[in-house]
Amino acid sequence: MRPLIAAACASLAHAQAPHLLLADNGMHSFMTESTSYCYRHLLADPLCCKDQRVPGGVRHQEIVREGGSWTCGDGCADELKGERGKDLLWWPQAADCSSPRVLFVHGGGWQRHGPGQASYNVLAANLAEVSRAAILVPDYVLVPMGNYLSIIGYLFDAWSWLAKHGPAGEDCSHAPQPPLFLAGDSSGAASALSLLLRLRDEAAAPKAAGFFAFSPWLNLACDSPTYYSNAFSLVDDISGKVIVGDILFRGAPANVSGSLRQLAMKYFQGDQTRLRDPSFSPFHADEVHLDSLPPLYLAVSGTEVLGGDGIIFAQRAAWRGVRVYLDIFPGMWHGFHQYIEGCGSGTELWQGSAAVSHAGDFVMKVTEFVRSSDSGQLPQSGERLPRTNVYYPHPEGKEPWSFVGELDLGFIHQAFQPGQPASRAAPNPQLSLVAPRALPQDVIIDCPKATVLGAIMAGMLSGSIFTLLSGLCGAWFLSRRAHGELPEFLPDFLKHPFENYQDEQSPTRPLRRP
């Protein structure tokens, strides 16, 4: 979406950049080296600095599907003109028909970009490496040549193709279908979620085992609270000038909200009712829509304008029992997951690295569970809250304050045959922060209803027996005392409990004995 942002704020960036750069020393006091480097360069040029290096050991191929061709002609805002519709498929060398597959929907406000533009090729290659999955990035028809219906239709066709094809476009229809995942970033996340909701109603369509998204734009009415709380601002006082908020959305809250709403209206071809339609603006999904969702992983910046979209959606989905994993990275900007190389600083942006690595963990671990589970899916969560991690940076070094390891799904499940321990390929140093470490995990205990009912009945029976025995003992005692036949070893206070007890108001008058 960044070219669209640039059009709205380029003049502000160039006008203020020289003055803002004077506040560099102030930024260093609170940011890591790579973050402050990115701030300086993105302020000067919001189109700069995305990742450029494709990891080794990953292959790719253009995919031309029947009926997928379209033309970026007059009115098309994207720089890549002419015939379009060539999807891009990435996969690790060891992948085959049994490897999981991911349909990733790129962002760009539905008006720009493609699978080989804006470094989406690098992102897809990184995801293929860390997830061990085949990643298909569709070159869907852009607005105004298409709209929300034709875009989701294009994605549905790509999803159907991916369900039958594996690495290198190989026909895998003869093999058992591996777990399939949907994913996206920014505006692409909204379309990917719309497709996910559509799959619920398509009986013959393959279902998704999981969904993940980076910096998702889900509320197309554009009125989430973080439009205001995370707004870009310039603080100017006696100590100098510093900046806070999302550096890629530099307008006033109302202007940013209005600009993004205009993009959404073009996506909906002017149909304002769709801005809050739960099928196409997923932030507004109701219980029926939320209940159908598979496990989710969302990575957002704690300081980006669209951060509220992902955080609130995660909370609402988790409340309905959906397994949700939420990572929040304060101090980042919209789309930070595409700046792992530190904007060219030579120092890794560990927040972007962690988000991409955790998406890979999510795909691998969900895949392991699904393959070894009789139900073929993860059980619903009883937590009613997303499993949330907030990762703050440490300004004195590149490492975070808290440990960042593999994504913890929060359950233990035997996903491998005995004698075959779980293993993981050596992580790419560009995508790894620290060595993985075993962490305590929650255990999901599947307690059969018969066991629960038996425990309840046993407790009731034990209580009844105790009550009966207590009553018999009490009756025996009263009967023996009435006949003066109590055993000699009993103390006097049991033989004559009212002997010396007197009314406090009439101390000379003894109370009646029973």
Side-chain angles (χ1 to χ4, degrees):
M1 189 185 296
R2 291 173 58 214
L4 301 173
I5 301 168
C9 66
S11 59
L12 176 63
H14 291 289
Q16 292 188 342
H19 302 286
L20 295 176
L21 291 180
L22 296 177
D24 181 45
N25 290 333
M27 290 194 292
H28 265 302
S29 300
F30 300 96
M31 299 180 184
T32 63
E33 178 183 349
S34 58
T35 302
S36 60
Y37 185 94
C38 286
Y39 262 59
R40 295 196 307 272
H41 286 77
L42 288 172
L43 283 168
D45 180 9
L47 302 182
C48 79
C49 312
K50 281 192 174 182
D51 295 336
Q52 300 297 318
R53 296 192 298 268
V54 174
V58 179
R59 300 177 180 178
H60 71 280
Q61 178 177 315
E62 285 188 344
I63 301 297
V64 179
R65 296 178 291 102
E66 183 178 356
S69 178
W70 60 278
T71 302
C72 181
D74 295 339
C76 183
D78 193 55
E79 60 185 12
L80 185 58
K81 306 293 185 181
E83 185 177 352
R84 299 280 296 270
K86 295 180 180 180
D87 304 339
L88 201 55
L89 180 66
W90 293 84
W91 70 94
Q93 290 182 0
D96 55 26
C97 284
S98 66
S99 301
R101 304 168 201 163
V102 178
L103 183 72
F104 186 90
V105 185
H106 69 79
W110 304 288
Q111 294 188 34
R112 299 180 187 266
H113 303 339
Q117 300 169 261
S119 294
Y120 277 108
N121 55 333
V122 179
L123 175 60
N126 286 337
L127 285 172
E129 182 183 44
V130 298
S131 66
R132 304 180 190 173
I135 312 291
L136 180 66
V137 185
D139 189 18
Y140 60 82
V141 57
L142 298 176
V143 173
M145 279 64 62
N147 58 38
Y148 67 108
L149 292 177
S150 59
I151 290 174
I152 295 172
Y154 189 102
L155 298 177
F156 180 82
D157 293 340
W159 176 259
S160 301
W161 182 92
L162 185 62
K164 299 178 181 179
H165 296 82
E170 179 184 356
D171 183 1
C172 295
S173 56
H174 62 281
Q177 188 175 91
L180 304 176
F181 294 81
L182 265 168
D185 71 341
S186 194
S187 58
S191 297
L193 260 178
S194 293
L195 173 60
L196 190 62
L197 296 175
R198 173 178 169 176
L199 295 177
R200 176 198 60 179
D201 302 323
E202 298 280 351
K207 301 301 186 282
F211 173 89
F212 65 88
F214 309 106
S215 293
W217 178 18
L218 304 178
N219 179 11
L220 303 191
C222 304
D223 56 2
S224 301
T226 46
Y227 276 87
Y228 185 89
S229 61
N230 289 347
F232 175 90
S233 62
L234 172 65
V235 180
D236 187 1
D237 62 14
I238 191 171
S239 63
K241 298 179 179 180
V242 295
I243 52 175
V244 295
D246 193 333
I247 60 176
L248 292 188
F249 290 89
R250 303 183 197 173
N255 293 338
V256 172
S257 175
S259 297
L260 293 182
R261 193 180 298 112
Q262 289 180 8
L263 293 180
M265 287 294 289
K266 292 179 180 179
Y267 176 59
F268 293 132
Q269 287 191 322
D271 187 353
Q272 191 170 357
T273 62
R274 300 300 183 190
L275 294 176
R276 300 183 188 277
D277 187 327
S279 295
F280 305 106
S281 184
F283 181 87
H284 301 280
D286 55 23
E287 289 81 0
V288 174
H289 294 86
L290 294 173
D291 290 351
S292 67
L293 294 177
L296 312 175
Y297 168 71
L298 304 178
V300 304
S301 162
T303 45
E304 68 172 304
V305 164
L306 298 179
D309 287 26
I311 295 172
I312 295 173
F313 181 81
Q315 293 172 332
R316 297 184 66 241
W319 183 250
R320 297 298 302 176
V322 179
R323 289 195 166 273
V324 184
Y325 307 92
L326 175 65
D327 281 350
I328 303 175
F329 299 90
M332 293 291 99
W333 50 92
H334 181 70
F336 66 98
H337 57 285
Q338 288 191 278
Y339 298 84
I340 294 175
E341 297 167 14
C343 302
S345 65
T347 303
E348 179 189 65
L349 186 71
W350 63 260
Q351 293 93 332
S353 174
V356 173
S357 294
H358 283 178
D361 294 335
F362 176 76
V363 171
M364 288 195 298
K365 293 185 178 184
V366 171
T367 296
E368 291 169 1
F369 190 97
V370 168
R371 284 176 171 168
S372 60
S373 172
D374 294 335
S375 64
Q377 59 184 6
L378 269 72
Q380 277 199 321
S381 172
E383 297 178 358
R384 303 297 181 183
L385 290 171
R387 282 185 166 261
T388 305
N389 286 300
V390 183
Y391 297 109
Y392 283 95
H394 194 303
E396 296 180 1
K398 68 177 183 178
E399 299 299 330
W401 278 104
S402 57
F403 173 78
V404 182
E406 293 183 2
L407 182 69
D408 177 17
L409 296 191
F411 57 85
I412 298 175
H413 188 87
Q414 183 64 37
F416 298 89
Q417 296 297 324
Q420 295 181 342
S423 61
R424 178 174 180 168
N428 182 346
Q430 295 180 10
L431 297 175
S432 175
L433 311 179
V434 291
R437 186 180 69 181
L439 296 175
Q441 294 178 306
D442 297 335
V443 179
I444 296 176
I445 301 177
D446 186 11
C447 196
K449 292 183 179 179
T451 303
V452 176
L453 182 60
I456 294 175
M457 295 300 294
M460 294 176 62
L461 180 60
S462 300
S464 299
I465 294 174
F466 177 80
T467 302
L468 178 61
L469 292 176
S470 299
L472 291 174
C473 290
W476 174 86
F477 174 81
L478 293 175
S479 175
R480 296 300 90 192
R481 191 170 71 85
H483 292 83
E485 299 176 356
L486 291 175
E488 293 296 329
F489 62 81
L490 287 178
D492 289 341
F493 76 89
L494 287 178
K495 294 180 180 179
H496 309 289
F498 303 106
E499 183 70 29
N500 299 316
Y501 185 74
Q502 295 179 332
D503 188 350
E504 293 181 358
Q505 297 179 354
S506 303
T508 60
R509 186 182 65 182
L511 293 175
R512 293 179 58 188
R513 291 183 180 179

